Amino acid sequence: MSTATATRLAPPVLDLDARLALVDAAMSARLDQAAVAFEVNTAHLPGADPVPHIADTGPVPLTPAAEPSPYRTPIADLLHRARQRIEADGWCRDAVFDESGAVCPIRAIRLEAAGDR
């Protein structure tokens, strides 16, 4: 046996707190490295740009497009359109309509029926 191997010391035994501190330091370094890699890999994406593009700042449509009725009967179709009107205009209670343009369900049905008894 050589003198180098004979004088080798046993590795120190670490308690739980010391091991957790070492793992925490190693994981923090890995997370920092992953954050930098993520920023580099996503820098070319338009959503990653802190300044919004001109095309993205255009006006947003206020009302969604009317979806086609999935119902075949005229009454069910009328109620579906009335529901869409309430969703678009807003819902009010204790009045047929209010100053903000919201309507009650009865008014929504009457407006959608529009003379079609």
Side-chain angles (χ1 to χ4, degrees):
M1 248 170 118
S2 70
T3 57
T5 58
T7 59
R8 193 194 272 155
L9 299 174
V13 178
L14 300 175
D15 63 341
L16 179 63
D17 291 331
R19 290 189 315 216
L20 285 176
L22 287 173
V23 169
D24 183 43
M27 289 304 295
S28 295
R30 290 180 71 184
L31 286 172
D32 291 340
Q33 185 180 17
V36 169
F38 178 77
E39 289 176 8
V40 168
N41 290 337
T42 59
H44 67 283
L45 299 175
D49 192 7
V51 178
H53 297 283
I54 294 173
D56 296 337
T57 59
V60 178
L62 297 177
T63 57
E67 57 189 51
S69 174
Y71 305 103
R72 289 183 286 188
T73 62
I75 302 262
D77 185 46
L78 171 70
L79 293 175
H80 178 74
R81 290 192 322 263
R83 186 186 118 235
Q84 287 179 330
R85 180 179 288 267
I86 291 172
E87 287 176 353
D89 295 344
W91 179 78
C92 71
R93 182 178 163 171
D94 298 330
V96 179
F97 61 93
D98 64 5
E99 62 276 351
S100 67
V103 294
C104 74
I106 292 174
R107 179 164 173 89
I109 292 171
R110 287 179 182 163
L111 289 172
E112 288 301 322
D116 184 17
R117 292 285 196 185

